Structures are given as C-alpha cells and as structure tokens.
Amino acid sequence: MASPKLIATGVVVVIAAVVASMCMFTVRQDQQALVLQFGNPVHAVSEPGLHFKLPIQNVEYYERRILELDPPVQQVLLSDQKRVNVDSFARWRIVDPLQFRQRATNAANFVQLFGQRLNSVIRGELAQAPLVALLSDNRSQIMEKIQATLIEPAKEFGVELIDVRIGRTDLPQETSQAVYNRMRSSRIAEAAQLRAEGEELKAKIQAEADRERVGILAEARRQAEVLRGEGDGERNIVLGEAYGKDAGFFEFYRSLEAYREALSDGSTMVISPDSEFFQYFNNSTPGATR
C-alpha cells in the first residue's frame, strides 16, 4: 500500500500539471492571440509559439492571414444617369487584435460594418464617373481612389486594407435592353446612311460613265465619217484617173457594181435582154433573166 507521502506527492504533481496546462497556450503561424482577464483585454500576442498566462485568464485567437470581404451586389447610379450592378470585394488583414476586438468584436461584425462603408464609398465615387470610365483604363484609377479613401477607416478597426476591387459591373436587364435597342437603332441608321451614300456614288459614277460613253461614241462616229469621207475622196480620185485612162473599162466597172448592188440580195428581176442594164452580157441570153 502506497505511503501517504507518495500519495501527497502524486496529488501535487497532478495539480501542478493542471495549473501548468492552464497557464500555457500555443499560437500557430497563421494566428495571433489576445489574452483576456474577466472579459477585459490584457495584452496581444503576435509571435507564434508557446506562451504563458494566468490561470484566470483566457485567450481569443484571430487570423493572421489575408481575409476576404465580399459585400452584396449593389445598384449604382453613374454620372451619365446610367444604372449598373456593382460587385466589389476587398482584401484585409488584422494587424492589431486589441483594437479590432474593441471596434468590431469579431470578423463577422467587421465584414458587416466595413462592407457597408465600402459600398458607400463606391457609390460616392462611381456617382462622379460615366459608364465609359468603368470600361476603360480609368477603372484602375477609380479603384485606387476608393482604396485610398478606405485606408484610414480600416486602421480604426486595427485592420490593414490590402486591396479593393470591382469584380463585375453589369447593366440591369432593363438598361441592357435599352442600350441594345439604342445601339441597334444607331447601327441601322448608320447602315442606311452608308447605303444612301453608296447609291449616290453609284449614280454619279454611272452618269460619268454614260457621259464618257456618249463622248467616246460621238468621237468614234466623227472619226469614222472623216475616214469614210477621206476614203470616198481617194476612191473618186482613183476612179477619175481610171476613167481618164480607159473610159470603156470604167463603164464596165460601174456596170459590175450596179449588178452587185441589184442582185446581191437575191431579188428577182424581169428585164428585156436588149436592155442597157445588160449591155455587157451576151445578147443570146433568154428573154427572162433572174
């Protein structure tokens, strides 16, 4: 049977172990802690590892990692009177657990309180910007201005504001339809104008081409008449020279031309054999000639 001294020693050891466990706590790498006594903050612990406290004290742990704040989507009226649905978010980190507990109590309350502040600042900034600014490079400047406005309010909560962004900017359904209809009407009007300008240019080109065609044909006819006149003149000179040299041959040649013009179309002629028209044919030809 164990001696009373040994039993007493064991009890002391157990009590010491219990007290020691109540006086020690561990802070992980991704945590920071706040030591409380009767619900009142005593001091903050930011270094990871094993730490000590009084048995009557307790510990609250807070995230050291970067956290996300994603408030609900809100509808904002822009400076050009267009309404857009804005989905924003922020990245933040607790740097002073004591101040954070005093102002926000916990992360859920901070997300609600600071989310309202974030949406309010975004509404104020976007109310001074047109829709085209959100679709251009000016968007980043607007984000920087919003973040600069929220840095100091975040410090009041013991929080470091890492980043603020607008994730999506969508037009409401009715606004999207109105913008689509306006763009469609604009494109239809532009297409009609281009089509009218094309028809006008076509008519102008066609009129110019017709005018050039008339001029070209007139010039061609003039040159043809000139050339024909010159040819007829040279022909008459040649025939005149031929008549001066041999009048009989000239008469014979003119008769052949008359035969060709009279009989080339297959016409039927009834002429007396002794007619002057056949003076160069044989007089023995029958009375009817085709």
Side-chain angles (χ1 to χ4, degrees):
M1 185 175 180
S3 63
K5 184 177 181 180
L6 184 59
I7 293 175
T9 302
V11 171
V12 171
V13 171
V14 171
I15 293 174
V18 172
V19 171
S21 64
M22 296 176 61
C23 293
M24 294 185 297
F25 65 95
T26 302
V27 179
R28 299 199 310 263
Q29 291 284 347
D30 59 348
Q31 290 179 333
Q32 47 192 333
L34 187 62
V35 179
L36 307 175
Q37 183 172 327
F38 305 117
N40 298 318
V42 176
H43 63 88
V45 179
S46 58
E47 294 297 327
L50 184 63
H51 298 273
F52 296 92
K53 65 178 182 62
L54 297 177
I56 60 175
Q57 297 174 339
N58 62 304
V59 181
E60 288 184 354
Y61 294 95
Y62 298 88
E63 286 283 353
R64 182 191 297 273
R65 296 173 294 185
I66 295 177
L67 303 175
E68 178 179 308
L69 190 155
D70 190 4
V73 177
Q74 62 173 335
Q75 191 172 106
V76 178
L77 181 64
L78 303 179
S79 63
D80 53 4
Q81 302 305 307
K82 291 185 175 64
R83 295 185 178 274
V84 293
N85 295 327
V86 178
D87 184 12
S88 60
F89 65 91
R91 299 289 183 266
W92 57 283
R93 178 172 56 201
I94 301 172
V95 295
D96 189 339
L98 177 58
Q99 189 174 359
F100 182 79
R101 187 181 188 278
Q102 291 173 342
R103 292 297 306 274
T105 306
N106 53 50
N109 286 338
F110 173 79
V111 168
Q112 181 179 1
L113 295 173
F114 202 77
Q116 296 174 356
R117 179 79 64 89
L118 173 61
N119 278 347
S120 176
V121 173
I122 288 177
R123 282 197 304 271
E125 290 297 331
L126 295 188
Q128 306 174 29
L131 178 61
V132 67
L134 298 180
L135 306 177
S136 64
D137 295 338
N138 294 333
R139 183 188 182 106
S140 60
Q141 298 177 3
I142 296 174
M143 291 296 95
E144 292 174 0
K145 190 174 181 180
I146 292 174
Q147 182 174 346
T149 305
L150 291 170
I151 286 178
E152 292 302 323
K155 290 181 179 179
E156 298 176 2
F157 288 89
V159 166
E160 177 188 4
L161 188 63
I162 305 298
D163 192 17
V164 176
R165 285 286 180 269
I166 292 179
R168 293 181 56 187
T169 305
D170 298 327
L171 293 172
Q173 181 61 33
E174 60 276 10
T175 306
S176 299
Q177 188 63 37
V179 171
Y180 168 76
N181 291 337
R182 185 164 57 253
M183 292 177 63
R184 183 173 181 271
S185 300
S186 176
R187 294 296 180 270
I188 291 175
E190 184 178 355
Q193 181 179 357
L194 292 175
R195 190 176 294 109
E197 292 176 355
E199 291 294 334
E200 181 181 359
L201 183 60
K202 171 190 172 184
K204 185 182 297 184
I205 294 174
Q206 189 170 10
E208 184 68 23
D210 290 342
R211 185 165 54 251
E212 291 181 0
R213 171 178 171 273
V214 171
I216 292 171
L217 291 176
E219 179 64 19
R221 291 191 187 97
R222 187 188 66 80
Q223 292 182 2
E225 292 296 332
V226 171
L227 294 175
R228 186 177 295 109
E230 293 176 353
D232 289 343
E234 292 181 1
R235 171 176 171 272
N236 292 333
I237 292 173
V238 172
L239 291 178
E241 293 176 352
Y243 181 78
K245 292 180 179 180
D246 190 346
F249 176 77
F250 181 75
E251 292 294 337
F252 176 72
Y253 175 76
R254 294 301 298 267
S255 297
L256 291 180
E257 282 190 339
Y259 296 155
R260 181 182 63 187
E261 292 178 1
L263 303 177
S264 60
D265 58 353
S267 300
T268 302
M269 301 178 64
V270 179
I271 302 175
S272 173
D274 57 353
S275 172
E276 292 183 0
F277 187 74
F278 292 108
Q279 61 180 331
Y280 292 104
F281 280 67
N282 190 347
N283 291 331
S284 63
T285 303
T289 305
R290 292 194 60 174

